[in-house]
Amino acid sequence: MAQDDPRTLVSTDWLAAHLKDPDLRILDASWYLPDAGRNPRSEYDAAHIPGARFFDIAEIADNRSDLPHMVPPVEKFMSRLRAMGVGDGHQVVVYDGMGIFSAARVWWLFRLMGQFNIAVLDGGLPKWLAEDRPTEDMPPIVRDRHMTVRRQNHMIKDVTQVASASKLRNHEIIDARAPSRFAGAEPEPREGLRAGHIPGARNVHYATLLNDDGTMKPPQQLRTIFEDAGVDLAQPAITTCGSGVTAAILSLALERMGKTDHALYDGSWAEWGMFPTVPVATGDA
């Protein structure tokens, strides 16, 4: 059983015990890859944890960008969260329909915006349902709450910064994609992208950090997985993946291990794989 920490990860037991807290806000941040054939909004409408609001990762994003679900402008983030009745002084718990998948992205996004009282629900909705806990199909009653945002620019990297880190080898770049995609042995699901990985990157497939029930492994086991992948934990880390979603699972794991000097490459492979001027490596790390 994971140690409950309202700034990283809380158990279903913790959430059940705090469900009626007046300052608790729950977000359903389910999001699926297109080939999953699932509609997160309609699943939310049918059944969600009592009081949960739906956080639309694809909409609360920078829609000026050609890249998927990039970090939204500060003003947009603030206005969307205010409309959801989520703001200063709230303890937020975010979950998704896969266990730990897209919820970690929203956890990271809140932290980027300077909001640290947020935890991912360990095991997510599948574990909640497996334990026969309550759900509802009613939208919550929302009251506006102001949110103060102080963007933490050190927590995010762009393609130029990542290219520099790859060249200078002064950061550990950790890629959350499956080994076959990392090695360039299978084509990318997005059209027009080269296959392979950022030169110098290490591969820690996000799924290896999770137990069969979708909960996260304990910190000591996480540390071993990163070290076995050749990650030098003394170096600052940059997490990356296909489009910036599962990279946040690595970020959450690093934070659970007590490693705080990590940033996320928002464009991830959707950007790097498209850029003709940046180098691509193939094969194992």
Side-chain angles (χ1 to χ4, degrees), residues 14-24 26 50 134:
W14 186 96
L15 183 57
H18 290 271
L19 208 50
K20 300 276 195 288
D21 288 9
D23 282 331
L24 180 77
I26 305 170

Side-chain angles (χ1 to χ4, degrees), residues 216-282:
M216 188 165 270
K217 292 176 179 173
Q220 197 46 56
Q221 257 180 283
L222 297 175
R223 184 173 291 276
T224 304
I225 293 165
F226 280 95
E227 287 171 348
D228 288 351
V231 175
D232 176 4
L233 292 168
Q235 289 257 53
I238 298 171
T239 62
T240 182
C241 61
S243 65
V245 173
T246 58
I249 301 174
L250 303 189
S251 305
L252 178 62
L254 292 169
E255 195 71 26
R256 289 289 288 175
M257 288 155 43
K259 182 172 175 62
T260 54
D261 54 343
H262 54 85
L264 185 145
Y265 172 25
D266 197 24
S268 281
W269 200 255
E271 180 177 45
W272 191 279
M274 187 178 67
F275 251 92
T277 53
V278 293
V280 167
T282 53

Side-chain angles (χ1 to χ4, degrees), residues 18 23 31 35 50-51 58 68 72 98 113 118 145 154 159 169 197 212 234 245-246 249 262:
H18 290 271
D23 282 331
W31 174 87
D35 59 7
M98 281 178 68
M113 297 295 181
I118 179 166
R145 173 80 74 109
H154 60 280
V159 66
R169 304 288 157 109
H197 59 265
D212 292 341
V245 173
T246 58
I249 301 174
H262 54 85

Side-chain angles (χ1 to χ4, degrees), residues 28-68:
D28 179 331
S30 301
W31 174 87
Y32 305 105
L33 291 163
D35 59 7
R38 293 176 67 173
N39 182 324
R41 180 73 216 213
S42 56
E43 289 182 22
Y44 164 85
D45 289 339
H48 51 261
I49 295 176
R53 288 104 161 108
F54 185 70
F55 187 103
D56 188 340
I57 284 178
E59 198 283 321
I60 305 174
D62 185 354
N63 300 124
R64 301 165 304 187
S65 171
D66 295 335
L67 297 165

